[in-house]
Amino acid sequence: MRFRHPDGSTVHLSYCTNVHPAETLDGVLAQLRDHCEPVRRRLGRDRLGIGLWLARGAARTLAADPAALRGLRAELDRRGLEVVTLNGFPYEGFGAEEVKYRVYKPDWADPERLSHTVDLARLLAALLPDDVTEGSVSTLPLAWRTAYDTAAARAAHTALTVLAERLEALEELTGKTVRIALEPEPGCTVETTADAIRPLTGVGSDRIGICVDTCHLATSFEDPATAFDALDAARVTIPKAQLSAALHAQSPHLPEVRAALGAFAEPRFLHQTRTLTPDGLLGTDDLDEALGGDALPDTAPWRAHFHVPLHAPPAPPLTSTLPVLQDALARLVGGPAPRTRHLEVETYTWQALPPELRPRSRGRLADGIAAELTLARDLLVDLGLKELP
């Protein structure tokens, strides 16, 4: 979906396909047929943007076979779909029964992360619509924190420097600009937007910036105004933003609140949980850790990294951080010029919701994704953007 900003530039809205992950090219093509095109039809659109997730296996196939890449481009066109952004954070196995810490490997100290990301940038340059010259790829925020030492930091810095050079060469070759965006996430080396400033200094910040995920922003209790002002001051760009909402518990000391939270503690994904205290931000790596004892004080609200559907917050006594998303979105695209032109709805946890809330069919899932995109569209229109055909 495209929107005209009051300054005349085009803002793109898409949804991320990691909600129905596939590891192979055949699986990606099936996604387009079974999920993405039905969402587009529900929205009554001739064209729909998707934030494509290409697992390593699918990316390798496309990188090695120009005919396969042309075929994917043709299939996107045939189904009324377009791609201006890729989700390069998960490497593989995102559809596994247990993802948890695996999603953070390989990290940016491993040469394979650089190789994979360069492949994604090259593929995106070929997939961009003819009238679009700029693409974005979101990626791992360096590494999970526990295995990240000085040597790893040096290796990651070198990798990002090399990446910036290869992105520049790609632009010279293709005329397409692809920017990479580190995605701050709780528990990672880069957990907050502030954490991103130092690692990005001196590595080609015009080509490598950050992806603001509004669920992660809210989980870490970051204030959007403070966060974005600091990024502006440090000249760190925002190539992409992911529109998502976290799980919010206002009164975690109450038994009924803890019981409601327990329904969201599930075995597939990590749900890092945070609370803001007078001594600072405290947290656990997963929701069940927070619920299992006294790991977190319960005298202040808790937020958990669980991407809840934008249009359907959980029932009381829980809620979502949709107000943080709305605040962030207003500051991202509601000003005289957009801070980013790539927006992506990323609710990948539909099948991790409590059983009674999960969509029971492809059709129900498509209904839900279309409803999220409708909400995001309405927010953009309310901010003065004009929806384009």
Side-chain angles (χ1 to χ4, degrees):
M1 300 169 75
R2 298 187 183 192
F3 297 81
R4 182 72 66 208
H5 189 274
D7 77 342
S9 62
T10 300
V11 173
H12 295 265
L13 173 66
S14 62
Y15 90 91
C16 186
T17 64
N18 64 356
V19 63
H20 16 252
E23 300 290 321
T24 66
L25 176 57
D26 285 345
V28 171
L29 296 173
Q31 283 179 351
L32 306 184
R33 179 193 67 226
D34 296 339
H35 299 288
C36 302
E37 186 176 11
V39 171
R40 177 183 65 77
R41 291 185 181 279
R42 279 164 171 76
L43 291 166
R45 304 285 305 177
D46 293 331
R47 173 176 54 189
L48 176 66
I50 58 170
L52 201 58
W53 176 60
L54 295 174
R56 184 51 176 156
R60 280 179 172 160
T61 298
L62 291 165
D65 187 347
L69 181 56
R70 290 193 298 271
L72 174 59
R73 172 72 182 266
E75 188 70 359
L76 288 164
D77 291 342
R78 186 169 79 86
R79 299 197 179 277
L81 305 169
E82 66 178 11
V83 175
V84 303
T85 188
L86 300 180
N87 187 333
F89 193 138
Y91 178 79
E92 61 186 359
F94 202 62
E97 290 186 5
E98 182 177 328
V99 178
K100 299 288 185 182
Y101 295 95
R102 291 173 51 188
V103 76
Y104 306 107
K105 292 293 186 178
D107 63 30
W108 274 99
D110 185 332
E112 181 52 33
R113 176 59 70 170
L114 172 62
S115 175
H116 178 53
T117 306
V118 170
D119 277 351
L120 293 179
R122 290 170 175 163
L123 295 173
L124 180 57
L127 293 173
L128 287 174
D130 292 339
D131 61 344
V132 175
T133 60
E134 182 178 320
S136 60
V137 181
S138 50
T139 187
L140 178 77
L142 299 184
W144 184 253
R145 69 185 187 282
T146 54
Y148 198 71
D149 56 16
T150 302
R154 286 197 297 266
H157 185 274
T158 298
L160 291 177
T161 302
V162 171
L163 175 64
E165 294 169 353
R166 294 187 182 176
L167 294 173
E168 182 177 3
L170 180 65
E171 183 174 354
E172 292 177 357
L173 179 66
T174 66
K176 304 286 189 177
T177 301
V178 176
R179 292 189 167 88
I180 307 300
L182 302 185
E183 183 184 329
E185 175 167 314
C188 291
T189 301
V190 175
E191 172 158 344
T192 66
T193 56
D195 294 335
I197 293 173
R198 177 184 288 271
L200 289 177
T201 301
V203 294
S205 59
D206 58 328
R207 300 185 187 276
I208 304 176
I210 75 161
C211 170
V212 172
D213 183 302
T214 58
C215 170
H216 303 173
L217 190 82
T219 301
S220 295
F221 287 86
E222 287 198 79
D223 171 61
T226 302
F228 299 158
D229 286 350
L231 293 175
D232 289 347
R235 297 184 179 179
V236 173
T237 60
I238 306 175
K240 173 179 180 177
Q242 289 174 325
L243 307 183
S244 53
L247 192 62
H248 180 93
Q250 185 65 27
S251 304
H253 65 286
L254 297 177
E256 61 269 28
V257 174
R258 297 176 83 92
L261 283 170
F264 288 84
E266 52 83 37
R268 187 171 174 187
F269 300 111
L270 276 187
H271 301 296
Q272 302 93 313
T273 304
R274 299 288 185 267
T275 186
L276 188 60
T277 74
D279 296 324
L281 194 66
L282 300 177
T284 60
D285 284 355
D286 217 342
L287 180 55
D288 55 0
E289 296 175 38
L291 293 169
D294 57 0
L296 280 187
D298 59 9
T299 54
W302 288 3
R303 290 177 178 173
H305 172 217
F306 195 118
H307 291 221
V308 297
L310 302 186
H311 68 292
L318 304 178
T319 187
S320 80
T321 59
L322 183 62
V324 178
L325 182 160
Q326 292 172 297
D327 184 8
L329 187 62
R331 297 176 189 282
L332 287 167
V333 300
R339 281 184 163 104
T340 186
R341 290 186 290 275
H342 292 174
L343 304 172
E344 177 184 76
V345 172
E346 197 216 10
T347 305
Y348 59 84
T349 43
W350 279 95
Q351 299 303 336
L353 290 167
E356 68 276 10
L357 301 179
R358 295 174 193 169
R360 298 295 184 180
S361 66
R362 288 177 183 170
R364 292 288 182 87
L365 177 59
D367 290 341
I369 294 169
E372 290 193 292
L373 286 166
T374 297
L375 182 149
R377 178 194 65 195
D378 291 346
L379 291 177
L380 291 172
V381 170
D382 288 346
L383 289 169
L385 281 73
K386 180 182 179 181
E387 186 177 7
L388 299 175

